[in-house]
Coordinates of all heavy atoms in Angstrom, one line a residue:
S1 N 151.6 55.9 -28.7 CA 150.5 56.1 -27.8 C 150.0 57.6 -27.7 O 148.9 57.9 -27.3 CB 150.8 55.6 -26.4 OG 151.8 56.4 -25.8
N2 N 150.9 58.5 -28.2 CA 150.6 59.9 -28.2 C 149.9 60.3 -29.5 O 149.5 61.5 -29.7 CB 151.9 60.7 -28.1 CG 152.5 60.6 -26.7 OD1 151.8 60.5 -25.7 ND2 153.9 60.5 -26.7
I3 N 149.7 59.3 -30.4 CA 149.0 59.6 -31.7 C 147.6 59.0 -31.6 O 147.4 57.9 -31.1 CB 149.8 58.9 -32.8 CG1 151.2 59.5 -32.9 CG2 149.0 59.1 -34.1 CD1 152.1 58.8 -34.0
T4 N 146.6 59.8 -32.0 CA 145.3 59.3 -32.1 C 145.0 58.6 -33.4 O 145.4 59.1 -34.5 CB 144.3 60.5 -32.0 OG1 144.5 61.2 -30.8 CG2 142.8 60.0 -32.1
N5 N 144.5 57.4 -33.3 CA 144.2 56.6 -34.5 C 145.5 56.3 -35.4 O 145.6 56.8 -36.5 CB 143.1 57.2 -35.4 CG 141.8 57.3 -34.7 OD1 141.5 56.5 -33.8 ND2 141.0 58.2 -35.1
W6 N 146.4 55.6 -34.8 CA 147.6 55.3 -35.5 C 147.4 54.0 -36.3 O 146.6 53.2 -35.9 CB 148.9 55.2 -34.6 CG 148.8 54.3 -33.5 CD1 148.7 54.7 -32.2 CD2 149.0 52.9 -33.4 NE1 148.7 53.6 -31.3 CE2 148.9 52.5 -32.1 CE3 149.3 51.9 -34.4 CZ2 149.1 51.1 -31.7 CZ3 149.4 50.6 -34.1 CH2 149.3 50.2 -32.7
A7 N 148.2 53.8 -37.4 CA 148.3 52.6 -38.1 C 149.7 52.3 -38.4 O 150.6 53.2 -38.6 CB 147.5 52.7 -39.4
L8 N 150.0 51.0 -38.5 CA 151.4 50.6 -38.6 C 151.5 49.3 -39.5 O 150.7 48.4 -39.4 CB 151.9 50.2 -37.2 CG 153.3 49.6 -37.0 CD1 154.4 50.6 -37.4 CD2 153.5 49.1 -35.5
K9 N 152.6 49.3 -40.3 CA 152.8 48.1 -41.1 C 154.3 48.0 -41.4 O 155.1 48.9 -41.5 CB 152.1 48.2 -42.5 CG 152.7 49.0 -43.6 CD 153.6 48.1 -44.5 CE 154.1 49.0 -45.7 NZ 155.0 48.2 -46.5
D10 N 154.7 46.7 -41.3 CA 156.1 46.3 -41.7 C 155.9 44.8 -41.8 O 155.6 44.1 -40.9 CB 157.1 46.7 -40.7 CG 158.5 46.1 -41.0 OD1 158.7 45.6 -42.1 OD2 159.4 46.2 -40.2
P11 N 156.2 44.2 -43.0 CA 156.0 42.8 -43.2 C 156.8 41.9 -42.1 O 156.3 40.9 -41.8 CB 156.6 42.5 -44.6 CG 156.3 43.8 -45.3 CD 156.5 44.9 -44.3
R12 N 157.9 42.5 -41.6 CA 158.7 41.8 -40.6 C 157.8 41.6 -39.3 O 158.1 40.7 -38.5 CB 159.9 42.5 -40.3 CG 160.9 42.7 -41.5 CD 161.9 43.9 -41.2 NE 162.6 44.2 -42.4 CZ 162.2 45.0 -43.4 NH1 161.0 45.5 -43.4 NH2 163.0 45.2 -44.5
M13 N 156.8 42.4 -39.2 CA 156.0 42.3 -38.0 C 155.3 41.0 -37.9 O 154.8 40.6 -36.8 CB 155.0 43.5 -38.0 CG 154.2 43.7 -36.7 SD 155.2 44.5 -35.4 CE 155.2 46.2 -35.9
V14 N 155.1 40.3 -39.0 CA 154.5 38.9 -38.9 C 155.3 38.1 -37.9 O 154.7 37.2 -37.2 CB 154.5 38.3 -40.3 CG1 154.1 36.8 -40.3 CG2 153.6 39.0 -41.3
F15 N 156.6 38.3 -37.8 CA 157.4 37.5 -36.9 C 157.7 38.2 -35.6 O 157.9 37.6 -34.6 CB 158.8 37.2 -37.6 CG 158.6 36.1 -38.6 CD1 158.3 36.5 -39.9 CD2 158.7 34.8 -38.3 CE1 158.1 35.5 -40.9 CE2 158.6 33.8 -39.3 CZ 158.2 34.1 -40.6
T16 N 157.7 39.6 -35.6 CA 158.0 40.3 -34.4 C 156.8 40.7 -33.6 O 156.9 41.2 -32.4 CB 158.9 41.5 -34.7 OG1 158.1 42.4 -35.5 CG2 160.1 41.2 -35.5
Y17 N 155.6 40.5 -34.1 CA 154.4 41.0 -33.4 C 154.2 40.4 -32.0 O 153.8 41.1 -31.1 CB 153.1 40.7 -34.3 CG 151.8 41.0 -33.6 CD1 151.4 42.4 -33.5 CD2 151.1 40.1 -33.0 CE1 150.3 42.7 -32.9 CE2 149.9 40.4 -32.3 CZ 149.5 41.8 -32.2 OH 148.4 42.1 -31.6
P18 N 154.6 39.1 -31.8 CA 154.4 38.5 -30.5 C 155.2 39.3 -29.4 O 154.8 39.3 -28.2 CB 155.0 37.1 -30.6 CG 154.7 36.8 -32.0 CD 155.0 38.0 -32.8
I19 N 156.2 40.1 -29.8 CA 156.9 40.9 -28.9 C 156.3 42.3 -28.8 O 156.0 42.8 -27.7 CB 158.4 41.1 -29.3 CG1 159.1 39.7 -29.1 CG2 159.1 42.1 -28.5 CD1 160.5 39.7 -29.7
W20 N 156.0 42.9 -29.9 CA 155.4 44.2 -30.0 C 154.0 44.3 -29.3 O 153.7 45.3 -28.7 CB 155.2 44.7 -31.4 CG 156.5 45.2 -32.0 CD1 157.3 44.6 -32.9 CD2 157.1 46.5 -31.8 NE1 158.4 45.4 -33.3 CE2 158.2 46.6 -32.6 CE3 156.7 47.6 -31.1 CZ2 159.0 47.7 -32.7 CZ3 157.5 48.7 -31.1 CH2 158.7 48.8 -31.9
C21 N 153.2 43.2 -29.4 CA 151.9 43.3 -28.9 C 151.8 43.5 -27.4 O 150.8 44.0 -26.8 CB 151.1 42.0 -29.3 SG 151.6 40.5 -28.4
N22 N 152.9 43.2 -26.7 CA 153.0 43.4 -25.2 C 153.2 44.9 -24.9 O 153.0 45.3 -23.7 CB 154.1 42.6 -24.6 CG 153.9 41.1 -24.8 OD1 152.8 40.6 -24.6 ND2 154.9 40.4 -25.2
Y23 N 153.5 45.7 -25.9 CA 153.9 47.1 -25.6 C 152.9 48.1 -26.3 O 152.9 49.3 -25.8 CB 155.3 47.4 -26.1 CG 156.3 46.6 -25.2 CD1 156.7 45.3 -25.6 CD2 156.9 47.2 -24.1 CE1 157.6 44.6 -24.8 CE2 157.8 46.5 -23.3 CZ 158.2 45.2 -23.7 OH 159.1 44.5 -22.9
L24 N 152.3 47.7 -27.3 CA 151.4 48.6 -28.1 C 150.1 48.8 -27.4 O 149.5 47.9 -26.8 CB 151.2 48.1 -29.5 CG 152.5 48.1 -30.4 CD1 152.3 47.3 -31.7 CD2 153.0 49.5 -30.6
D25 N 149.5 50.0 -27.6 CA 148.2 50.3 -27.1 C 147.2 49.4 -27.8 O 147.5 48.7 -28.8 CB 147.8 51.8 -27.4 CG 148.5 52.8 -26.5 OD1 149.0 52.4 -25.5 OD2 148.5 54.0 -26.9
Q26 N 146.0 49.3 -27.2 CA 144.9 48.5 -27.8 C 144.8 48.8 -29.3 O 144.7 49.9 -29.7 CB 143.6 48.7 -27.1 CG 142.5 47.8 -27.5 CD 141.2 48.0 -26.7 OE1 141.2 48.9 -25.8 NE2 140.2 47.2 -26.9
H27 N 144.7 47.7 -30.1 CA 144.6 47.8 -31.5 C 143.9 46.6 -32.1 O 143.7 45.6 -31.4 CB 146.1 47.9 -32.1 CG 146.9 46.7 -31.7 ND1 147.7 46.7 -30.6 CD2 147.1 45.5 -32.3 CE1 148.3 45.5 -30.5 NE2 148.0 44.8 -31.5
I28 N 143.6 46.8 -33.4 CA 143.1 45.6 -34.1 C 144.1 45.3 -35.3 O 144.9 46.2 -35.6 CB 141.6 45.9 -34.7 CG1 141.6 47.1 -35.7 CG2 140.7 46.2 -33.5 CD1 141.6 46.6 -37.1
I29 N 144.0 44.1 -35.8 CA 144.8 43.6 -36.8 C 144.0 43.5 -38.1 O 142.9 43.0 -38.0 CB 145.5 42.3 -36.5 CG1 146.4 42.5 -35.3 CG2 146.3 41.8 -37.7 CD1 146.9 41.1 -34.7
I30 N 144.6 43.9 -39.2 CA 144.0 43.5 -40.5 C 145.1 42.8 -41.3 O 146.2 43.3 -41.4 CB 143.5 44.7 -41.3 CG1 142.5 45.4 -40.6 CG2 142.9 44.2 -42.7 CD1 142.0 46.7 -41.3
G31 N 144.9 41.5 -41.7 CA 145.9 40.8 -42.5 C 145.7 40.9 -44.0 O 144.5 41.1 -44.4
T32 N 146.7 40.7 -44.7 CA 146.6 40.7 -46.2 C 147.4 39.6 -46.8 O 148.5 39.3 -46.3 CB 147.1 42.1 -46.8 OG1 147.0 42.1 -48.2 CG2 148.5 42.4 -46.4
I33 N 146.8 38.9 -47.8 CA 147.5 37.8 -48.5 C 147.5 38.0 -50.0 O 146.8 38.9 -50.5 CB 146.7 36.5 -48.2 CG1 145.3 36.5 -48.7 CG2 146.7 36.2 -46.7 CD1 144.6 35.2 -48.7
R34 N 148.3 37.3 -50.6 CA 148.4 37.3 -52.1 C 148.8 35.9 -52.5 O 149.6 35.2 -51.8 CB 149.5 38.3 -52.5 CG 149.5 38.5 -54.1 CD 150.6 39.5 -54.4 NE 150.7 39.8 -55.8 CZ 151.6 40.6 -56.4 NH1 152.5 41.2 -55.6 NH2 151.5 40.8 -57.7
E35 N 148.4 35.5 -53.7 CA 148.7 34.2 -54.2 C 150.2 34.0 -54.3 O 151.0 34.9 -54.6 CB 148.0 33.9 -55.5 CG 148.3 34.9 -56.6 CD 148.9 34.3 -57.8 OE1 149.2 33.1 -57.8 OE2 149.0 35.0 -58.8
P36 N 150.7 32.8 -54.0 CA 152.2 32.6 -53.9 C 153.0 33.0 -55.1 O 154.1 33.6 -55.0 CB 152.3 31.1 -53.6 CG 151.0 30.7 -53.0 CD 150.0 31.6 -53.7
L37 N 152.5 32.6 -56.3 CA 153.2 32.9 -57.5 C 153.3 34.4 -57.8 O 154.3 34.9 -58.3 CB 152.6 32.2 -58.7 CG 153.5 31.9 -59.9 CD1 154.8 31.3 -59.5 CD2 152.8 31.1 -60.9
G38 N 152.3 35.1 -57.5 CA 152.3 36.6 -57.6 C 153.4 37.2 -56.8 O 154.1 38.1 -57.2
V39 N 153.5 36.7 -55.5 CA 154.6 37.2 -54.6 C 155.9 36.8 -55.2 O 156.9 37.6 -55.2 CB 154.3 36.6 -53.2 CG1 155.6 36.9 -52.3 CG2 153.1 37.2 -52.6
A40 N 156.1 35.5 -55.6 CA 157.4 35.1 -56.1 C 157.8 35.9 -57.3 O 159.0 36.2 -57.4 CB 157.3 33.6 -56.4
N41 N 156.9 36.1 -58.2 CA 157.2 36.9 -59.4 C 157.7 38.3 -59.0 O 158.6 38.8 -59.6 CB 156.0 36.9 -60.3 CG 155.7 35.6 -61.0 OD1 156.6 34.7 -61.1 ND2 154.5 35.4 -61.5
S42 N 157.0 38.9 -58.1 CA 157.3 40.2 -57.7 C 158.7 40.3 -57.0 O 159.4 41.2 -57.2 CB 156.2 40.8 -56.7 OG 156.4 42.1 -56.5
L43 N 159.0 39.3 -56.1 CA 160.3 39.2 -55.5 C 161.4 39.1 -56.5 O 162.5 39.6 -56.4 CB 160.3 38.1 -54.5 CG 159.5 38.3 -53.2 CD1 159.5 37.0 -52.4 CD2 160.0 39.4 -52.4

């Protein structure tokens, strides 16, 4: 909250966001997707 125009990412946030959203300053979300096989190959 002491930072002007902050941005945050951690893939785990897909699951923890329902908790974090109660504490973070007003923000917007941008989501990103990738085709399943591309992700599986990369993993």
Side-chain angles (χ1 to χ4, degrees):
S1 70
N2 294 322
I3 300 174
T4 301
N5 294 337
W6 55 258
L8 173 67
K9 82 96 175 174
D10 176 10
R12 300 160 188 81
M13 190 75 77
V14 171
F15 287 87
T16 64
Y17 178 76
I19 293 171
W20 280 103
C21 70
N22 297 315
Y23 293 87
L24 294 170
D25 286 346
Q26 186 174 3
H27 58 271
I28 62 103
I29 297 169
I30 303 177
T32 178
I33 62 171
R34 185 182 183 184
E35 53 123 353
L37 201 52
V39 171
N41 288 341
S42 189
L43 288 173

